[in-house]
Amino acid sequence: MSSLRFILISLLVGLGTTAGAAFIEISEQQARDAINRLDEAIARRGQYISARHRHIDSLKLAYATSPDDLATIKALGDAYISFDNDSALVYLQYGIDKAGSDTEALPFRLKQAEIMPLSGLIDNAIASYNAISPDSVPNSLRQLYYDSGRQMYSYISSFYERHPVLKERYARLALDRQEKLIGLLDKNSDIYRFNIGEHYFLTGNDAKAKASPSEIADNPNADQRLRARAHHHLSAMAKKRDD
């Protein structure tokens, strides 16, 4: 066993058995198993990246055959998001350029504004999003409108850790968009469960914050991206508790 792995296992077991601490008690074997699962996941990193590239290549082949198909362009943009955001922005712009109407272009504009902050384009993102009047958004796209605004302002807020006033300003804007989104969602849907759980967490209602994302995280049939976000949300809650 490497010295680093020994230290990690010892730390996990020590944290789990600290008297009076708000930790779940775990055994040394559970700690070893957790570290092993982490090692296995890291070892498969190349496989995950290759699988994403194969998926993107198949979409590019479909795009080469039908370069005006908006569904394929959207799928390419989505496939690149969080993987290569500059490429995602390029394909989202293709969708805007090739859309036959403002309504067709709107989903591409919203997703583009949402991820622009990840490429450092904060001012562009805000200007692009604010250029879309809520009254001009059809009912079929209102959920996307508020969800994109929530995510965009959340990204921006996270970039201002050293500037509390700006961080709070954008966090409030993100929360406002989320509150409007929650009012539109089906209460039996996973996306509702995720957002209401995050909303409770962000507004300090920790007692209610864990239940909904736990349902998603523990459900292997849930949307995988949403399930990953639920796990991230639960980890943020644990960090807040120093757990």
Side-chain angles (χ1 to χ4, degrees), residues 102-203:
D102 289 343
T103 299
E104 283 189 340
L106 188 54
F108 296 95
R109 291 176 62 194
L110 289 170
K111 294 301 290 186
Q112 193 178 63
E114 175 184 322
I115 67 170
M116 275 181 175
L118 298 177
S119 293
L121 303 172
I122 292 176
D123 290 343
N124 303 69
I126 295 171
S128 181
Y129 186 78
N130 287 339
I132 302 169
S133 168
D135 295 335
S136 70
V137 179
N139 289 337
S140 60
L141 294 174
R142 282 191 172 272
Q143 289 185 21
L144 179 61
Y145 173 76
Y146 289 118
D147 192 36
S148 291
R150 177 204 62 79
Q151 186 63 74
M152 180 193 74
Y153 284 122
S154 180
Y155 284 143
I156 295 171
S157 175
S158 70
F159 296 146
Y160 287 106
E161 292 293 339
R162 298 184 180 181
H163 302 277
V165 173
L166 289 174
K167 180 176 178 62
E168 176 63 19
R169 176 193 301 173
Y170 291 116
R172 287 302 312 172
L173 287 169
L175 199 60
D176 173 75
R177 299 311 184 276
Q178 186 173 56
E179 289 169 352
K180 291 180 171 64
L181 171 65
I182 287 171
L184 299 173
L185 295 173
D186 176 359
K187 292 186 178 181
N188 293 316
S189 66
D190 282 341
I191 191 67
Y192 174 85
R193 294 186 185 97
F194 174 82
N195 276 280
I196 197 67
E198 184 179 64
H199 183 75
Y200 284 139
F201 175 63
L202 295 175
T203 54

Side-chain angles (χ1 to χ4, degrees), residues 54-116:
R54 288 195 299 272
H55 176 56
I56 288 172
D57 288 344
S58 69
L59 291 172
K60 284 184 174 179
L61 184 61
Y63 173 72
T65 304
S66 303
D68 295 322
D69 181 55
L70 294 181
T72 301
I73 296 172
K74 181 181 182 300
L76 267 167
D78 288 343
Y80 272 119
I81 289 174
S82 299
F83 187 65
D84 179 347
N85 286 305
D86 289 341
S87 293
L89 289 172
V90 168
Y91 280 102
L92 291 171
Q93 187 61 50
Y94 287 169
I96 294 170
D97 295 341
K98 295 183 179 184
S101 66
D102 289 343
T103 299
E104 283 189 340
L106 188 54
F108 296 95
R109 291 176 62 194
L110 289 170
K111 294 301 290 186
Q112 193 178 63
E114 175 184 322
I115 67 170
M116 275 181 175

